[in-house]
Amino acid sequence: MITIIILYFIIGLFASILGSIAGLGGGVIIKPVLDLFGHFDLATIGVLSSATVLSMSTVSILSVKNCKIEINKAVSSTIAAGSIVGGIIGKAIFNYLINILAVTDSLAIFQSAFLVVLMLAIVLLINNTNKMSSYKVKNKIIIFVVGLILGLISAFLGIGGGPLNVVVLTILFSMSFKQAAFNSIFIIFFAQLSSLVLVGISTGFNPYDLSMLMYMIIGGLLGGWIGSNAANRISNKLVKRLFNFAIIAIILLNIYNVIVTL
């Protein structure tokens, strides 16, 4: 039991460190790792991931006063509002497929395969931003719709939305990589908070096996603190390298999960 506790603490810790530094959030790492171990069902993994990422993002946001990176509250708040609405829709679709249609195995394969395609697209986009046009979108309706789409995809896949946020903030709002990463954490906080509130209102937390929740949250809090302090000291270039490393690892892990599930 002690070994299992340490394992889940480490998963929460390292996912949160990387998530905090690179704006990934951590959910995109936690989800495929927990799929790999197979100790929990998809719905429980979603709750564990959301709670860990929420704890990480809370610590990261609280350290903003000591950070030199600016949060664009007008843009990020509007995206966050859209992502909350999209998150509710995405979670509702996920719950319908799991609870009504009972297609758990098929959904797990689809999520992993879709994540592979999505992560490949993200890594290609993020490494070719210098060859692409960047914009400064100001229309609040467009920004809200962008947030809604991000929230829907992220909630349905159970990933928190970090990599998607970073790409969108970099291309559509001309943010530097570090600025996009930190603003992504701001958006993730509200998306994960709304996700957990929705679970509490709809099904409650009793149906889920949350035996590892406390240890993952502790890992998330510590990882958020370490990551946010590190992000303030390292270069934009190194943040981008860590982002690329994490995305490639996620792609390989999801490919393995698809092969094993099949």
Side-chain angles (χ1 to χ4, degrees), residues 104-252:
T104 304
D105 290 341
S106 300
L107 183 59
I109 293 170
F110 175 80
Q111 283 182 323
S112 294
F114 191 87
L115 268 172
V116 169
V117 175
L118 190 62
M119 294 302 111
L120 280 171
I122 286 171
V123 80
L124 287 172
L125 284 170
I126 210 69
N127 287 289
N128 288 282
T129 50
N130 58 326
K131 301 174 185 176
M132 301 166 59
S133 300
S134 59
Y135 306 89
K136 285 195 175 180
V137 178
K138 295 181 179 179
N139 187 302
K140 288 193 174 182
I141 295 174
I142 294 174
I143 297 172
F144 181 86
V145 171
V146 167
L148 188 148
I149 295 169
L150 291 175
L152 193 156
I153 294 171
S154 302
F156 179 71
L157 295 177
I159 62 169
L164 284 169
N165 294 344
V166 172
V167 170
V168 167
L169 291 170
T170 303
I171 296 173
L172 294 187
F173 303 99
S174 299
M175 292 187 185
S176 70
F177 203 87
K178 282 181 74 171
Q179 189 182 6
F182 204 82
N183 277 267
S184 172
I185 299 299
F186 181 79
I187 295 164
I188 285 167
F189 169 81
F190 292 100
Q192 297 308 305
L193 179 61
S194 65
S195 176
L196 289 172
V197 169
L198 181 62
V199 170
I201 293 171
S202 56
T203 62
F205 295 96
N206 288 332
Y208 307 100
D209 178 1
L210 303 180
S211 54
M212 293 296 117
L213 179 63
M214 180 177 69
Y215 311 109
M216 292 191 73
I217 285 177
I218 293 170
L221 292 169
L222 183 57
W225 179 77
I226 294 170
S228 57
N229 280 282
N232 200 30
R233 292 180 172 87
I234 63 179
S235 68
N236 197 62
K237 190 174 181 180
L238 182 53
V239 171
K240 194 170 184 177
R241 283 180 180 172
L242 287 170
F243 181 92
N244 283 324
F245 166 77
I247 294 296
I248 291 167
I250 291 161
I251 290 170
L252 295 174

Side-chain angles (χ1 to χ4, degrees), residues 90-111:
K91 202 71 175 176
I93 295 170
F94 175 85
N95 289 338
Y96 177 76
L97 293 173
I98 289 289
N99 300 321
I100 307 299
L101 299 185
V103 290
T104 304
D105 290 341
S106 300
L107 183 59
I109 293 170
F110 175 80
Q111 283 182 323

Side-chain angles (χ1 to χ4, degrees), residues 60-107:
S60 297
I61 289 171
L62 288 175
S63 23
V64 68
K65 60 181 69 175
N66 301 318
C67 188
K68 299 170 186 175
I69 307 165
E70 178 187 356
I71 290 181
N72 188 326
K73 291 183 180 177
V75 168
S76 294
S77 298
T78 308
I79 291 177
S83 70
I84 290 170
V85 177
I88 292 170
I89 297 169
K91 202 71 175 176
I93 295 170
F94 175 85
N95 289 338
Y96 177 76
L97 293 173
I98 289 289
N99 300 321
I100 307 299
L101 299 185
V103 290
T104 304
D105 290 341
S106 300
L107 183 59

